[in-house]
Structure formats: C-alpha cells, structure tokens
Amino acid sequence: MTIFSRGFRSRRRADERLPPGQYLTQGFPVLSAGPTPHVPLERWEFTIDSETEQVHRWTWPELMALPHETPTVDIHCVTTWSKLGTHWQGVSLDVLFEQVETAAQYALVYSYGGYTTNLPLDDLLDGKAWIAYRHDGQDLAPRHGGPARLLVPHLYFWKSAKWVRGIRLLKQDHPGFWESAGYHQYGDPWREQRYAED
Ligand SMILES: Nc1nc2c(c(=O)[nH]1)N[C@H]1C(S)=C(S)[C@@H](COP(=O)(O)O)O[C@H]1N2
Ligand SMILES: [Mo]
C-alpha cells in the first residue's frame, strides 16, 4: 500500500468506500466468539513457525523495539458493519517476515483463547497487515484484542485475529474457526465473499 493510494482512497466519498451489503457505523462494535483472554505482558509472546519447523519468537519488549507504522484503514465486518478511517499503531508483518525463510503459501493465525483464522501468506505481506497494539491513540483495549491483534483490513474483519499469538505457515490451506463453520476461505468484502459458496 503506497502513500499515494492511501491518500487517494481517503478522499473518495464515503459511499464509494463501502463494500456491497455493508452499512456505516460510528461506534466500534465488539465481536468475540468467547471470553476475553488476559495475558500478562511478561508472558506474552508472538511466534511464526515455518513449514520446516523453524520457530521465530518475539517477546513484548522485542515487539515494541521494532519499527512501527500508523495505518489509517477502513474495516468491514461480515455482519455488515463497516467503519471508515480507523487509526492504528502496529508492526508491519513485513518487518517480522524479514527474518523468516519459507516456501509455504498459507498462514493459519492463532490467538490466545484458541481462535484461529486462515489466509494466503501473500495477504499478510507487502504492507497489507500489521500486529496492532494501539487504536485511536490508546493502548488496544482487551475487548478489541489487546494487548495485540492482527489487522488485515482488506479482508472481512474476522481475519483480524484478536489476542494474536502466532502464525503457522502451511503448504496447504487449513480452515480456521469461522472458515470451518461455513464462512468463506478468503473473505474479500468487495466481492462479498461471506460464505463458503459465495
Ligand atoms: N481471537 C478472536 N479474534 C477475533 C474474533 C474472535 O471472536 N476471537 N472475532 C472476529 C470478528 S468476527 C470480528 S468482526 C472482529 C471484531 O473485532 P472487534 O471486536 O474489535 O470489533 O474480530 C475478529 N477477530
Ligand atoms: Mo465479524
């Protein structure tokens, strides 16, 4: 995502930024399939494990020491609410993947609490995804995924795993929590890929 395209997008009219079947909300709904897990920062870690069993691990201070970005993005929940121009701070997945060598094409993202979601590895790279730990200038609230969540705004928001714990790289796609329950494997809001058959 370049600066140019971001600026261009944000000057577009709100209705042009709304994918089909979505409505605008000013609030910030909470959608959690289970209770909010609480992980002390001293014990928090984020891992990427590759298909060759290589494990890359970051503690909270190590994550904080990495260069961050402050993306402003539109988010789209499959339950039909969208929120435009949300402000985040986080580490680009490109920074984390600098250290990872892999031939895998798929990622299974997993969270504290057991939630999982799958997506192609390419959708986590090239400026499209972040490990976000601040929202609207404040530490990310636990109900919204604090201390840190995945943010991958170009897909339906169920892909943005709250309380993110790690990413497993896989040679074959493996459905996550909602994807196993009949939701779409990819989930592009602009193509309205809500359910498996869409
Ligand atoms: N760990 C975890 N991540 C999750 C979910 C969840 O239930 N557990 N829900 C997903 C869904 S369906 C949506 S729409 C967004 C909601 O994020 P929010 O509660 O911050 O609005 O988180 C996604 N990430
Ligand atoms: Mo959602």
Side-chain angles (χ1 to χ4, degrees), residues 92-141:
S92 168
L93 269 290
D94 294 319
V95 172
L96 301 175
F97 272 94
E98 271 170 25
Q99 303 183 29
V100 180
E101 212 173 292
T102 181
Q105 293 191 47
Y106 297 98
L108 185 65
V109 184
Y110 51 97
S111 296
Y112 291 99
Y115 184 85
T116 56
T117 187
N118 59 304
L119 67 175
L121 176 55
D122 277 352
D123 288 82
L124 292 175
L125 304 177
D126 298 326
K128 294 197 287 288
W130 297 265
I131 302 297
Y133 50 84
R134 288 174 75 79
H135 167 258
D136 250 353
Q138 303 207 302
D139 289 346
L140 185 57

Side-chain angles (χ1 to χ4, degrees), residues 45-179:
E45 61 170 31
F46 179 79
T47 59
I48 298 177
D49 40 289
S50 77
E51 76 286 6
T52 58
E53 320 269 292
Q54 255 193 301
V55 182
H56 303 264
R57 206 180 291 278
W58 292 267
T59 63
W60 187 259
E62 286 168 345
L63 184 80
M64 292 302 106
L66 295 173
H68 65 253
E69 296 179 357
T70 53
T72 296
V73 295
D74 301 344
I75 55 179
H76 312 290
C77 172
V78 73
T79 62
T80 74
W81 59 264
S82 289
K83 199 168 163 54
L84 303 185
T86 61
H87 301 291
W88 303 85
Q89 180 176 317
V91 176
S92 168
L93 269 290
D94 294 319
V95 172
L96 301 175
F97 272 94
E98 271 170 25
Q99 303 183 29
V100 180
E101 212 173 292
T102 181
Q105 293 191 47
Y106 297 98
L108 185 65
V109 184
Y110 51 97
S111 296
Y112 291 99
Y115 184 85
T116 56
T117 187
N118 59 304
L119 67 175
L121 176 55
D122 277 352
D123 288 82
L124 292 175
L125 304 177
D126 298 326
K128 294 197 287 288
W130 297 265
I131 302 297
Y133 50 84
R134 288 174 75 79
H135 167 258
D136 250 353
Q138 303 207 302
D139 289 346
L140 185 57
R143 67 183 179 282
H144 287 300
R149 75 180 299 162
L150 183 66
L151 175 66
V152 47
H154 71 287
L155 300 177
Y156 279 125
F157 208 36
W158 89 75
K159 302 283 182 180
S160 294
K162 303 197 281 188
W163 318 296
V164 69
R165 176 180 193 161
I167 297 171
R168 185 159 305 132
L169 298 172
L170 301 170
K171 289 193 161 162
Q172 285 188 317
D173 204 6
H174 181 90
F177 179 80
W178 287 117
E179 295 85 0

